[in-house]
Amino acid sequence: MYIIGLEGTAHTLGIGILDEKGTVLANLMKTYRPKEGIHPREAANHHAKEFLPSLEEAFSTAGIDRDDIGLVAFSQGPGLGPCLRTVATGARALSLSLKVPLIGVNHCIAHIEIGRLTTDCDDPVLLYASGGNTQVIAFTRGRYRVFGETLDIGIGNMLDKFGRVHNIPFPGGPVIEKRAMKSDELIDLPYSVKGMDVSFSGILTAASNSKAPLNDLCFSLQETTFAMLTEVTERALAHTGKDEVLLGGGVVRNDRLREMVEIMAEERGAKAYAPPGPLCVDNGAMIGWTGYVMHEAGLKTPIAKSGVMQNFRTDEVDITWRR
Ligand code: AMP
Ligand code: MG
């Protein structure tokens, strides 16, 4: 049996095809690239337009026939409503026409399961840092629980918004990383850790209003916010007694963030892991794999329960496939 996974929580339409061992045969990503921030309706239109040609491309890359598909998995949330609905509609249509089960997947959990599949980690604390999401997640008592999270915007969103103020094209993160490398001047920015949670809006305002040189601001923004994430991740490790950190989300492509987390892990005798690049960002393969793991545990999503959930929480899902 082959599995198809459909991702559509935000700007990426992802189509992944895997076999039952988790070998990724195709992992196509079509990304809507706005000049400024994401407009949900426009992103959804992008996904609708790309859906059928991308499906054809994924089947041809995987070298399989659509009748070989035994399971359709889709990202049920959390994410932008119009994007989720568009891709869920495609998933329902595919499942009905192929007469195979449908399974709705929590996007954040998929970042963990693909990490458990593709790296040597088994029971990690996930630092999930992406455009829309920033959470520290770990498995305890039958659920993936959120130990800390952003109280306002996702870290990637903060970087992109800061970029927009300074005429850095979307997405701002990679450009900010390059500029940060040219500075070592730390400007004082608000360090905003509240309990186990973080917040970025005050930092964004302070950095956006500052008249300091742009490279210094980029450096300071990274140093400050990445230290916040590393601190909360370390506390989740200490609290749970786990010794593995898994990185996920677009922002963990950043070498400085990886370095900080790796140093922290090493200092406490833990290990840091990250899936290979295309499986680290939003992608269909991680949705497909998680759907398969859930399906093997006897789960499926009837059409009547396949509505999308914009605010689908990581800890709402009973993780029956793990002890
Ligand atoms: P995602 O939401 O997981 O697709 O990730 C997209 C986010 O990752 C955007 O906000 C980007 O600005 C951010 N991003 C991508 N590459 C980097 C990088 N090298 N450093 C920091 N942020 C990045
Ligand atoms: Mg993501």
Side-chain angles (χ1 to χ4, degrees):
M1 171 173 102
Y2 295 99
I3 307 114
I4 188 162
L6 305 169
E7 155 63 26
T9 54
H11 51 36
T12 300
L13 168 70
I15 302 188
I17 297 177
L18 310 94
D19 66 16
E20 288 172 87
K21 292 198 183 94
T23 312
V24 178
L25 305 175
N27 195 23
L28 215 83
M29 279 160 256
K30 294 281 156 83
T31 301
Y32 154 76
R33 298 207 177 278
K35 283 201 193 70
E36 297 190 329
I38 301 179
H39 187 302
R41 188 68 253 166
E42 283 174 15
N45 288 345
H46 164 272
H47 299 350
K49 197 164 141 240
E50 294 288 344
F51 196 87
L52 281 178
S54 303
L55 209 56
E56 293 301 334
E57 197 181 327
F59 281 120
S60 108
T61 305
I64 65 159
D65 197 74
R66 59 183 61 205
D67 291 329
D68 298 332
I69 294 291
L71 178 68
V72 176
F74 72 103
S75 52
Q76 203 167 7
L80 304 171
C83 302
L84 287 169
R85 281 191 290 275
T86 299
V87 175
T89 304
R92 286 183 206 107
L94 198 58
S95 151
L96 287 170
S97 65
L98 296 176
K99 300 189 177 60
V100 300
L102 179 70
I103 185 127
V105 171
N106 178 293
H107 174 95
C108 307
I109 290 177
H111 277 291
I112 308 179
E113 292 301 343
I114 197 69
R116 294 180 65 227
L117 171 74
T118 58
T119 75
D120 286 331
C121 78
D122 175 50
D123 184 23
V125 168
L126 171 73
L127 170 59
Y128 175 32
S130 72
N133 296 295
T134 303
Q135 289 188 331
V136 175
I137 303 166
F139 181 73
T140 56
R141 291 180 293 114
R143 298 232 169 161
Y144 284 119
R145 309 210 181 247
V146 179
F147 282 83
E149 64 189 316
T150 178
L151 297 171
D152 42 48
I153 52 178
I155 183 162
N157 191 223
M158 183 276 293
L159 294 171
D160 298 337
K161 282 189 159 121
F162 170 80
R164 203 186 317 164
V165 172
H166 291 282
N167 294 319
I168 293 171
F170 180 89
V175 180
I176 292 170
E177 178 175 23
K178 285 207 186 74
R179 284 185 163 271
M181 285 174 193
K182 296 185 185 141
S183 165
D184 55 7
E185 182 70 38
L186 190 66
I187 295 157
D188 200 24
L189 293 171
Y191 184 92
S192 200
V193 173
K194 301 173 187 192
M196 289 290 282
D197 295 325
V198 291
S199 103
F200 297 114
S201 57
I203 302 171
L204 173 63
T205 307
S208 299
N209 292 341
S210 170
K211 298 279 174 279
L214 185 53
N215 290 351
D216 297 349
L217 280 173
C218 292
F219 173 75
S220 308
L221 203 55
Q222 287 198 171
E223 292 302 302
T224 308
T225 57
F226 295 171
M228 288 160 46
L229 295 182
T230 307
E231 179 190 332
V232 175
T233 306
E234 176 165 29
R235 279 208 254 134
L237 281 170
H239 180 82
T240 56
K242 298 189 196 289
D243 59 5
E244 297 170 334
V245 185
L246 177 66
L247 296 165
V251 181
V252 309
R253 286 184 165 178
N254 188 294
D255 284 337
R256 179 60 181 144
L257 176 58
R258 283 183 187 230
E259 182 185 39
M260 276 198 203
V261 172
E262 275 160 17
I263 292 169
M264 176 274 285
E266 203 179 311
E267 281 178 356
R268 49 178 303 116
K271 243 188 122 181
Y273 301 86
L279 296 175
C280 215
V281 298
D282 292 352
N283 68 91
M286 71 175 189
I287 302 297
W289 175 248
T290 309
Y292 175 69
V293 169
M294 294 171 73
H295 178 260
E296 286 305 283
L299 301 171
K300 61 174 128 197
T301 306
I303 296 286
K305 293 210 167 133
S306 66
V308 302
M309 294 178 268
Q310 278 175 256
N311 300 316
F312 193 3
R313 295 279 303 172
T314 309
D315 49 15
E316 272 178 56
V317 183
D318 266 326
I319 310 300
T320 52
W321 59 94
R322 286 187 64 174
R323 273 194 302 131

Short mmCIF file of all heavy atoms in Angstrom, two decimals, residues 35-63:
data_model
loop_
_atom_site.label_atom_id
_atom_site.label_comp_id
_atom_site.label_asym_id
_atom_site.label_seq_id
_atom_site.Cartn_x
_atom_site.Cartn_y
_atom_site.Cartn_z
N LYS A 35 4.04 39.19 -2.07
CA LYS A 35 5.03 40.26 -1.96
C LYS A 35 5.15 40.69 -0.50
O LYS A 35 6.21 41.00 -0.02
CB LYS A 35 4.60 41.45 -2.82
CG LYS A 35 4.86 41.21 -4.29
CD LYS A 35 4.92 42.52 -5.08
CE LYS A 35 4.85 42.24 -6.58
NZ LYS A 35 3.51 41.76 -7.00
N GLU A 36 4.00 40.70 0.18
CA GLU A 36 4.03 41.06 1.60
C GLU A 36 3.63 39.83 2.41
O GLU A 36 4.09 38.75 2.13
CB GLU A 36 3.14 42.27 1.83
CG GLU A 36 3.67 43.49 1.07
CD GLU A 36 2.97 44.75 1.44
OE1 GLU A 36 1.79 44.71 1.78
OE2 GLU A 36 3.63 45.81 1.39
N GLY A 37 2.76 40.00 3.40
CA GLY A 37 2.34 38.85 4.21
C GLY A 37 1.39 37.93 3.45
O GLY A 37 0.95 38.25 2.35
N ILE A 38 1.07 36.80 4.07
CA ILE A 38 0.16 35.84 3.44
C ILE A 38 -1.27 36.38 3.47
O ILE A 38 -1.77 36.76 4.52
CB ILE A 38 0.16 34.49 4.20
CG1 ILE A 38 1.56 33.89 4.22
CG2 ILE A 38 -0.84 33.52 3.59
CD1 ILE A 38 1.63 32.57 4.96
N HIS A 39 -1.92 36.39 2.31
CA HIS A 39 -3.35 36.67 2.26
C HIS A 39 -4.03 35.31 2.17
O HIS A 39 -3.89 34.60 1.16
CB HIS A 39 -3.66 37.54 1.04
CG HIS A 39 -5.07 38.02 1.01
ND1 HIS A 39 -6.15 37.15 1.02
CD2 HIS A 39 -5.60 39.26 0.98
CE1 HIS A 39 -7.26 37.86 1.00
NE2 HIS A 39 -6.96 39.14 0.98
N PRO A 40 -4.79 34.90 3.22
CA PRO A 40 -5.31 33.53 3.26
C PRO A 40 -6.09 33.11 2.01
O PRO A 40 -5.89 32.02 1.49
CB PRO A 40 -6.22 33.54 4.49
CG PRO A 40 -5.66 34.62 5.35
CD PRO A 40 -5.13 35.67 4.43
N ARG A 41 -6.95 34.01 1.52
CA ARG A 41 -7.78 33.65 0.35
C ARG A 41 -6.90 33.44 -0.88
O ARG A 41 -7.09 32.52 -1.66
CB ARG A 41 -8.82 34.76 0.13
CG ARG A 41 -9.88 34.49 -0.90
CD ARG A 41 -10.85 33.40 -0.48
NE ARG A 41 -10.61 32.18 -1.24
CZ ARG A 41 -11.09 30.98 -0.94
NH1 ARG A 41 -11.81 30.81 0.12
NH2 ARG A 41 -10.82 29.95 -1.68
N GLU A 42 -5.91 34.33 -1.04
CA GLU A 42 -5.01 34.19 -2.20
C GLU A 42 -4.17 32.92 -2.09
O GLU A 42 -3.91 32.25 -3.09
CB GLU A 42 -4.10 35.41 -2.32
CG GLU A 42 -4.83 36.60 -2.91
CD GLU A 42 -3.97 37.87 -2.89
OE1 GLU A 42 -2.74 37.76 -2.69
OE2 GLU A 42 -4.56 38.94 -3.05
N ALA A 43 -3.75 32.61 -0.88
CA ALA A 43 -2.98 31.37 -0.68
C ALA A 43 -3.85 30.17 -1.03
O ALA A 43 -3.41 29.22 -1.70
CB ALA A 43 -2.50 31.28 0.76
N ALA A 44 -5.13 30.22 -0.61
CA ALA A 44 -6.05 29.11 -0.90
C ALA A 44 -6.26 28.99 -2.41
O ALA A 44 -6.30 27.88 -2.96
CB ALA A 44 -7.37 29.33 -0.18
N ASN A 45 -6.39 30.13 -3.10
CA ASN A 45 -6.56 30.09 -4.57
C ASN A 45 -5.33 29.46 -5.23
O ASN A 45 -5.46 28.70 -6.19
CB ASN A 45 -6.77 31.51 -5.12
CG ASN A 45 -8.15 32.05 -4.76
OD1 ASN A 45 -9.04 31.30 -4.34
ND2 ASN A 45 -8.32 33.35 -4.89
N HIS A 46 -4.16 29.80 -4.70
CA HIS A 46 -2.93 29.20 -5.20
C HIS A 46 -2.99 27.68 -5.07
O HIS A 46 -2.70 26.95 -6.01
CB HIS A 46 -1.73 29.77 -4.43
CG HIS A 46 -0.46 28.97 -4.57
ND1 HIS A 46 -0.16 27.92 -3.72
CD2 HIS A 46 0.54 29.03 -5.48
CE1 HIS A 46 0.98 27.37 -4.10
NE2 HIS A 46 1.44 28.04 -5.16
N HIS A 47 -3.39 27.21 -3.89
CA HIS A 47 -3.44 25.75 -3.65
C HIS A 47 -4.47 25.09 -4.58
O HIS A 47 -4.23 24.00 -5.11
CB HIS A 47 -3.81 25.45 -2.20
CG HIS A 47 -2.82 25.99 -1.19
ND1 HIS A 47 -1.60 26.50 -1.56
CD2 HIS A 47 -2.89 26.09 0.16
CE1 HIS A 47 -0.96 26.89 -0.47
NE2 HIS A 47 -1.71 26.66 0.58
N ALA A 48 -5.61 25.77 -4.78
CA ALA A 48 -6.66 25.20 -5.65
C ALA A 48 -6.13 25.06 -7.08
O ALA A 48 -6.32 24.04 -7.74
CB ALA A 48 -7.90 26.09 -5.62
N LYS A 49 -5.45 26.10 -7.54
CA LYS A 49 -4.94 26.10 -8.91
C LYS A 49 -3.85 25.04 -9.10
O LYS A 49 -3.78 24.37 -10.12
CB LYS A 49 -4.38 27.50 -9.21
CG LYS A 49 -4.20 27.78 -10.66
CD LYS A 49 -4.03 29.28 -10.92
CE LYS A 49 -2.99 29.44 -12.00
NZ LYS A 49 -1.82 30.21 -11.58
N GLU A 50 -3.03 24.87 -8.10
CA GLU A 50 -1.88 23.95 -8.21
C GLU A 50 -2.26 22.50 -7.91
O GLU A 50 -1.46 21.60 -8.15
CB GLU A 50 -0.77 24.37 -7.23
CG GLU A 50 -0.13 25.71 -7.52
CD GLU A 50 0.78 25.66 -8.74
OE1 GLU A 50 1.14 24.54 -9.18
OE2 GLU A 50 1.10 26.74 -9.26
N PHE A 51 -3.44 22.30 -7.32
CA PHE A 51 -3.75 20.98 -6.76
C PHE A 51 -3.64 19.84 -7.79
O PHE A 51 -2.85 18.90 -7.61
CB PHE A 51 -5.13 20.98 -6.09
CG PHE A 51 -5.35 19.80 -5.19
CD1 PHE A 51 -4.97 19.84 -3.85
CD2 PHE A 51 -5.93 18.63 -5.66
CE1 PHE A 51 -5.15 18.74 -3.01
CE2 PHE A 51 -6.13 17.53 -4.84
CZ PHE A 51 -5.74 17.59 -3.51
N LEU A 52 -4.41 19.95 -8.89
CA LEU A 52 -4.43 18.83 -9.84
C LEU A 52 -3.10 18.62 -10.55
O LEU A 52 -2.59 17.50 -10.59
CB LEU A 52 -5.59 19.00 -10.82
CG LEU A 52 -6.95 18.61 -10.24
CD1 LEU A 52 -8.06 18.85 -11.25
CD2 LEU A 52 -6.97 17.14 -9.78
N PRO A 53 -2.50 19.69 -11.11
CA PRO A 53 -1.18 19.47 -11.73
C PRO A 53 -0.14 18.91 -10.76
O PRO A 53 0.67 18.06 -11.13
CB PRO A 53 -0.76 20.87 -12.24
CG PRO A 53 -1.82 21.82 -11.87
CD PRO A 53 -2.99 21.07 -11.32
N SER A 54 -0.20 19.34 -9.50
CA SER A 54 0.77 18.85 -8.51
C SER A 54 0.55 17.37 -8.21
O SER A 54 1.49 16.61 -8.00
CB SER A 54 0.68 19.64 -7.21
OG SER A 54 0.86 21.00 -7.46
N LEU A 55 -0.73 17.00 -8.19
CA LEU A 55 -1.08 15.60 -7.95
C LEU A 55 -0.48 14.73 -9.07
O LEU A 55 0.17 13.71 -8.80
CB LEU A 55 -2.61 15.49 -7.94
CG LEU A 55 -3.26 14.42 -7.11
CD1 LEU A 55 -2.84 14.51 -5.65
CD2 LEU A 55 -4.80 14.57 -7.20
N GLU A 56 -0.68 15.18 -10.31
CA GLU A 56 -0.14 14.44 -11.47
C GLU A 56 1.38 14.32 -11.33
O GLU A 56 1.96 13.26 -11.53
CB GLU A 56 -0.45 15.19 -12.78
CG GLU A 56 -1.92 15.25 -13.14
CD GLU A 56 -2.55 13.87 -13.31
OE1 GLU A 56 -1.82 12.92 -13.63
OE2 GLU A 56 -3.78 13.75 -13.08
N GLU A 57 2.00 15.46 -10.98
CA GLU A 57 3.46 15.49 -10.88
C GLU A 57 3.94 14.53 -9.77
O GLU A 57 4.92 13.80 -9.95
CB GLU A 57 3.89 16.92 -10.55
CG GLU A 57 5.36 17.20 -10.82
CD GLU A 57 5.73 18.64 -10.46
OE1 GLU A 57 4.88 19.56 -10.61
OE2 GLU A 57 6.88 18.83 -10.01
N ALA A 58 3.21 14.51 -8.65
CA ALA A 58 3.62 13.65 -7.53
C ALA A 58 3.52 12.18 -7.93
O ALA A 58 4.42 11.39 -7.64
CB ALA A 58 2.77 13.94 -6.30
N PHE A 59 2.42 11.82 -8.61
CA PHE A 59 2.28 10.42 -9.04
C PHE A 59 3.38 10.04 -10.02
O PHE A 59 3.94 8.95 -9.97
CB PHE A 59 0.90 10.18 -9.66
CG PHE A 59 -0.18 10.00 -8.63
CD1 PHE A 59 -1.27 10.86 -8.58
CD2 PHE A 59 -0.12 8.97 -7.70
CE1 PHE A 59 -2.27 10.72 -7.61
CE2 PHE A 59 -1.11 8.81 -6.73
CZ PHE A 59 -2.18 9.69 -6.70
N SER A 60 3.70 10.97 -10.91
CA SER A 60 4.73 10.61 -11.89
C SER A 60 6.11 10.56 -11.24
O SER A 60 6.91 9.67 -11.56
CB SER A 60 4.63 11.54 -13.12
OG SER A 60 5.67 12.44 -13.16
N THR A 61 6.40 11.44 -10.29
CA THR A 61 7.68 11.38 -9.57
C THR A 61 7.78 10.07 -8.78
O THR A 61 8.83 9.41 -8.76
CB THR A 61 7.81 12.56 -8.58
OG1 THR A 61 7.62 13.77 -9.29
CG2 THR A 61 9.15 12.58 -7.88
N ALA A 62 6.68 9.69 -8.12
CA ALA A 62 6.70 8.48 -7.30
C ALA A 62 6.73 7.23 -8.17
O ALA A 62 7.11 6.15 -7.70
CB ALA A 62 5.48 8.46 -6.38
N GLY A 63 6.31 7.37 -9.42
CA GLY A 63 6.29 6.23 -10.33
C GLY A 63 5.24 5.20 -9.95
O GLY A 63 5.42 4.00 -10.15
#
